[in-house]
Amino acid sequence: MSQTLNDSAPRKFRAPGRVNLIGEHTDYNDGFVMPAAINLSVFVSIWPRDDRKLQIKSESFDDEIEFDLDQQNRPSEHHWSDYAVGVAVMLERAGHRLRGARLELRGEVPLGSGLSSSAAVEVATACALVANSNLTIDRRELALLCQRAENEYVGARVGIMDQFVSLFGKEQSALLLDCRSLDYKLLPLPDTVNLVICNTMVKHALASGAYNERRAQCEAGVKHLAQFLPNVRALRDVMLAQLEQYGRDLPEVVYRRCRHVISENARVLSAGEALAQHDLHRFGELMAASHRSLRDDYEVSSEELDLMVELANKVAGVYGARMTGGGFGGSTVNLVDVEKVEEFKRYIASEYERITKLRPEIYVCEASNGAEEIQ
Ligand code: GLA
């Protein structure tokens, strides 16, 4: 006898991807970030089962998996379903007993584009599983559990930014988040500009070593600096002058990694002030400085990302352009005067393709609401 109740209508949930305006590789250093949720989402339909099995299917991939909630020690399988299974495992480990279900995933967030399709899968799955099991879980806890799924189950030591904004984003707003306290502020985005995302079409892979290596370098920096500055728990606690004074003996590469994080945190706070004062020129300058720092000090940009930014800087009406997300491929974010968007798209599409022979995808995005149940 089939355990699924597929004849009944499913409940449906949506969780958005995100674009980060500024504050890159600061989240896992207890620092500040300023992402916005975007109108590209992952959708999950869920049907309850009367046992403890999860049956998970995705429209983007052909296969389907089954997972037994009573066998949580099953290791991850380096499979697309790890993000969803990891969330179920972390919910259960935290003591939330889940009911079995059939889940069907459908995604609009392009994979590997730096727009957090993984966090969107995690958050949409989490919301669906929680509702299906008649649980109520605070959204902050949910964000942390989704992050833990990616850290401990998938094996990417990501910070909290993506999951948090996928749950807490608001339309027409950027979200300024303190990744230590998880306090946040919503900052209205002016309607005279669009968030335009340019996908280089070179995929990045977060689980690969480079991301975790950056994180380890930051930790090495903290360990060294804490010998002189005992109150330092994370790079968030260090000022540039202190790095200059106490970081002289650090390996040069670790020094530069620290300099990026410390200067980036300061840029996020300045960007928050600039936005509050409607000073888009200042905001754009900070985006440009962020990109340079990611390129030169943190070394997570790529030729294609640099080219995309360079091209954007030639177009009238662009306030700022920078790589967004983890890097090593993926997308740039551009703050563009609404009236200049069409011209921007035309120019970038033709020049980028002429030079790289890759056809970029360009999304004119709206800042959107966080995860929700939909009808
Ligand atoms: C990825 C991670 C985030 C963050 C960014 C870099 O998107 O998931 O936690 O670290 O990279 O800012």
Side-chain angles (χ1 to χ4, degrees), residues 80-99:
W80 59 264
S81 58
D82 286 354
Y83 297 95
V85 169
V87 165
V89 170
M90 293 309 150
L91 281 163
E92 284 269 336
R93 282 195 196 154
H96 304 296
R97 192 170 165 84
L98 299 179
R99 177 176 185 184

Side-chain angles (χ1 to χ4, degrees), residues 308-321:
M308 209 55 119
V309 166
E310 205 179 292
L311 293 175
N313 287 333
K314 292 186 182 159
V315 186
V318 175
Y319 290 99

Side-chain angles (χ1 to χ4, degrees), residues 31-323:
F32 302 97
V33 292
M34 197 195 291
I38 54 177
N39 54 326
L40 294 172
S41 292
V42 166
F43 300 87
V44 171
S45 301
I46 189 163
W47 294 262
R49 288 173 61 111
D50 46 22
D51 60 9
R52 291 259 297 159
K53 298 237 164 65
L54 294 182
Q55 212 185 338
I56 310 176
K57 191 178 157 175
S58 157
E59 206 186 71
S60 318
F61 305 90
D62 264 348
D63 53 343
E64 174 174 326
I65 65 119
E66 198 172 276
F67 176 75
D68 187 340
L69 286 164
D70 292 317
Q71 287 178 3
Q72 287 162 31
N73 290 332
R74 188 182 83 163
S76 74
E77 303 195 329
H78 308 291
H79 190 257
W80 59 264
S81 58
D82 286 354
Y83 297 95
V85 169
V87 165
V89 170
M90 293 309 150
L91 281 163
E92 284 269 336
R93 282 195 196 154
H96 304 296
R97 192 170 165 84
L98 299 179
R99 177 176 185 184
R102 170 172 177 79
L103 294 94
E104 286 185 11
L105 277 60
R106 181 171 71 79
E108 294 171 337
V109 191
L111 304 177
S113 60
L115 303 177
S116 276
S117 56
S118 5
V121 168
E122 290 153 11
V123 169
T125 304
C127 292
L129 290 174
V130 165
N132 183 62
S133 310
N134 287 327
L135 300 166
T136 329
I137 303 182
D138 169 79
R139 285 199 164 209
R140 277 193 173 78
E141 186 187 344
L142 220 49
L144 290 165
L145 286 171
C146 290
Q147 179 198 18
R148 196 174 302 156
E150 200 157 336
N151 289 172
E152 294 177 21
Y153 198 79
V154 179
R157 297 185 63 209
V158 296
I160 189 67
M161 165 168 73
D162 305 346
Q163 294 79 6
F164 196 94
V165 72
S166 185
L167 280 155
F168 287 91
K170 268 279 165 295
E171 58 184 6
Q172 284 290 312
S173 309
L175 185 152
L176 174 56
L177 173 66
D178 177 335
C179 298
R180 173 173 277 166
S181 65
L182 299 188
D183 287 338
Y184 70 95
K185 222 196 274 177
L186 292 166
L187 302 171
L189 288 166
D191 54 12
T192 51
V193 283
N194 276 139
L195 296 178
V196 186
I197 294 168
C198 299
N199 186 347
T200 62
M201 306 308 278
V202 179
K203 288 194 179 184
H204 73 146
L206 266 195
S208 74
Y211 183 94
N212 290 350
E213 181 192 57
R214 294 299 181 287
R215 199 167 166 162
Q217 289 165 331
C218 293
E219 285 162 3
V222 169
K223 201 164 165 213
H224 174 86
L225 294 167
Q227 296 168 41
F228 310 98
L229 304 161
N231 291 332
V232 165
R233 282 195 285 141
L235 288 177
R236 144 75 172 274
D237 304 312
V238 184
M239 312 287 289
L240 222 38
Q242 294 174 316
L243 176 69
E244 283 161 12
Q245 187 175 354
Y246 299 109
R248 282 186 299 261
D249 295 333
L250 280 170
E252 191 263 346
V253 80
V254 174
Y255 185 91
R256 282 190 288 117
R257 303 297 189 248
C258 295
R259 184 167 60 190
H260 163 71
V261 173
I262 296 168
S263 62
E264 184 79 349
N265 273 330
R267 281 187 288 272
V268 179
L269 296 178
S270 304
E273 283 161 20
L275 205 52
Q277 291 158 6
H278 306 286
D279 188 347
L280 293 178
H281 288 287
R282 174 85 188 117
F283 195 93
E285 283 165 11
L286 291 160
M287 288 173 77
S290 165
H291 185 80
R292 287 193 295 272
S293 177
L294 287 157
R295 182 190 64 197
D296 302 336
D297 274 355
Y298 219 62
E299 294 177 288
V300 291
S301 188
S302 68
E303 265 177 46
E304 293 83 5
L305 287 166
D306 292 344
L307 172 66
M308 209 55 119
V309 166
E310 205 179 292
L311 293 175
N313 287 333
K314 292 186 182 159
V315 186
V318 175
Y319 290 99
R322 58 180 287 278
M323 57 156 277

